[in-house]
Structure formats: C-alpha cells, structure tokens
Amino acid sequence: GGSATFAAGREVAGEARDAGPPNACCHCQAQFASRNALFRHLREACDPQAARRTEDRARIALVVGYLGSRYHGSALNEPGTEAARPTVEGA
C-alpha cells in the first residue's frame, strides 16, 4: 500500500502531496479539529496501520566545540595594542 499523508504539504516517501487542510484524512477527506482526532479516525476507520507507520530517517549528531586561539579578532589593532592582543590580520 501507499504511504498516508497526515498534514497539508507534508512530504511522505519522497513525494510532496497536498492533502488539503491540516488535520484532514487523505483517504476520505474528513476534517478534524486536532491531530489526535485525525489519528483516532485513521486508527478506527480509514487506515488502521497509519498511526503505527514511521518514516525511515537517518539521525546524526552535530557537535561543535571551540578550543580558542591566541588571537583577539580579525581586524588589525593599533601597533601598541597588537603586541599585547594580536589579531589574525596582524599575524
């Protein structure tokens, strides 16, 4: 079977599909006041497996760290200040 779309414009299985208003069933176009009501409807009426489907997604972790440097900014300082607080431009 095909993948169900639960909200307008949500991308499912690589296909962008306009399912109409948010919280509308993509099978019978019934509209619901909340996502909970929509999923209850799908589970009980149109698509019992829809609430159990998950999209395969790769997850990554991005870790950013800063070790620091001896430089204080990038713009060149005055000659007296450059000696005490060197910049990247003055290096």
Side-chain angles (χ1 to χ4, degrees):
S3 295
T5 301
F6 304 116
R10 177 170 286 191
E11 187 173 321
V12 175
E15 294 180 12
R17 180 174 169 186
D18 185 11
N23 304 326
C25 177
C26 64
H27 299 285
C28 68
Q29 285 68 45
Q31 294 185 14
F32 300 91
S34 68
R35 284 178 46 98
N36 286 338
L38 169 61
F39 276 90
R40 188 177 318 111
H41 163 79
L42 287 169
R43 199 170 38 252
E44 295 170 358
C46 281
D47 192 353
Q49 296 300 315
R52 292 175 184 84
R53 285 193 194 119
T54 59
E55 297 177 22
D56 293 329
R57 292 185 185 176
R59 294 182 182 225
I60 62 168
L62 175 63
V63 178
V64 178
Y66 178 70
L67 298 176
S69 68
R70 65 182 197 94
Y71 299 111
H72 299 272
S74 61
L76 185 61
N77 288 328
E78 297 291 325
T81 309
E82 189 67 37
R85 297 177 55 102
T87 62
V88 172
E89 193 173 307

